[in-house]
């Protein structure tokens, strides 16, 4: 018996904002990166004990660099805040490799625009990237983060579960050695 609400038509502002930035970037930078080598991969995970930087980040970056991919890591700000040791470890392990770049300035989205493929886990940036940049995502299948212990009371499959196979591929953390083949394959078929 609640009174009727005044609904306002809106959208998904982070996605719409990123789409506008991609459009502007492409207008200014008319050159396409479709044939560029080395291919650029951006690693943009969520944060927390099961996120990919916390669980297998070093191995992912090592595999990408060993495969000759230009690798940009965009850590979640909370990873930097609460698990700074991960950032230090990445930096000390790979800073001398010219293919490695650590981008901690999330307002600088050029790494998204320049990349060919994203590697993520459950981060919403993966969905925004797929739709705004129109590029594929490789999802590392770490346990899903759930911030609401009562989420299962609602009988709805989370969008993040539904969309993963439609905008990318899902790889088990046990199969990180196949990541370069997955990237090449999905990019040809994006």
């Amino acid at each position: 018996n609640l009174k009727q609400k005044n609904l306002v038509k809106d959208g998904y502002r982070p996605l719409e904002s990123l789409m506008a930035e991609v459009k502007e970037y492409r207008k200014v930078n008319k050159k396409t990166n479709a044939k560029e080598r080395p291919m650029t991969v951006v690693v943009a995970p969520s944060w927390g004990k099961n996120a990919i930087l916390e669980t297998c980040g070093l191995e992912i970056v090592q595999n990408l660099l060993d495969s000759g991919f230009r690798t940009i890591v965009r850590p979640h700000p909370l990873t930097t805040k609460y698990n700074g040791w991960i950032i230090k470890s990445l930096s000390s392990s790979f800073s001398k490799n010219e293919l490695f770049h650590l981008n901690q300035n999330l307002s600088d989205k050029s790494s998204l625009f320049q990349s060919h493929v994203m590697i993520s886990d459950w981060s919403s940036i993966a969905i925004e990237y797929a739709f705004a940049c129109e590029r594929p995502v490789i999802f590392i299948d770490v346990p899903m983060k759930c911030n609401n212990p009562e989420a299962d009371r609602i009988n709805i499959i989370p969008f993040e579960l539904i969309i993963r196979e439609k905008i990318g591929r899902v790889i088990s953390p046990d199969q990180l050695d196949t990541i370069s083949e997955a990237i090449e394959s999905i990019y040809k078929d994006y």
Side-chain angles (χ1 to χ4, degrees), residues 24-92:
E24 183 61 28
Y25 178 85
R26 288 182 178 159
K27 189 166 63 173
V28 172
N29 301 280
K30 294 186 188 310
K31 184 180 121 183
T32 179
N33 66 355
K35 302 252 188 267
E36 281 182 20
R37 292 293 175 180
M39 187 181 285
T40 300
V41 178
V42 62
V43 180
S46 184
W47 69 281
K49 68 177 184 173
N50 292 321
I52 58 176
L53 284 186
E54 283 80 352
T55 59
C56 53
L58 287 172
E59 185 179 354
I60 290 170
V61 173
Q62 187 68 63
N63 284 344
L64 293 171
L65 295 172
D66 288 348
S67 297
F69 292 111
R70 182 172 170 250
T71 304
I72 303 170
V73 176
R74 285 183 97 233
H76 193 284
L78 293 178
T79 297
T80 302
K81 182 176 180 176
Y82 295 116
N83 293 318
W85 65 269
I86 294 170
I87 308 307
K88 288 177 185 165
S89 181
L90 285 166
S91 189
S92 68

Side-chain angles (χ1 to χ4, degrees), residues 145-156 158:
K145 180 169 45 173
C146 182
N147 293 327
N148 183 352
E150 297 183 20
D152 59 350
R153 291 180 57 194
I154 301 172
N155 193 20
I156 298 174

Side-chain angles (χ1 to χ4, degrees), residues 62-148:
Q62 187 68 63
N63 284 344
L64 293 171
L65 295 172
D66 288 348
S67 297
F69 292 111
R70 182 172 170 250
T71 304
I72 303 170
V73 176
R74 285 183 97 233
H76 193 284
L78 293 178
T79 297
T80 302
K81 182 176 180 176
Y82 295 116
N83 293 318
W85 65 269
I86 294 170
I87 308 307
K88 288 177 185 165
S89 181
L90 285 166
S91 189
S92 68
S93 297
F94 305 116
S95 64
K96 289 186 170 97
N97 188 320
E98 64 186 30
L99 294 175
F100 176 76
H101 180 71
L102 184 62
N103 178 5
Q104 292 182 267
N105 177 5
L106 297 190
S107 64
D108 173 12
K109 296 185 181 114
S110 62
S111 61
L112 300 177
F113 308 148
Q114 296 167 6
S115 64
H116 298 85
V117 177
M118 176 180 279
I119 295 177
S120 193
D121 43 32
W122 294 100
S123 178
S124 62
I125 191 64
I127 296 168
E128 294 162 12
Y129 172 84
F131 287 114
C133 298
E134 299 176 321
R135 302 279 189 198
V137 179
I138 302 287
F139 293 95
I140 306 302
D141 201 24
V142 294
M144 185 175 186
K145 180 169 45 173
C146 182
N147 293 327
N148 183 352

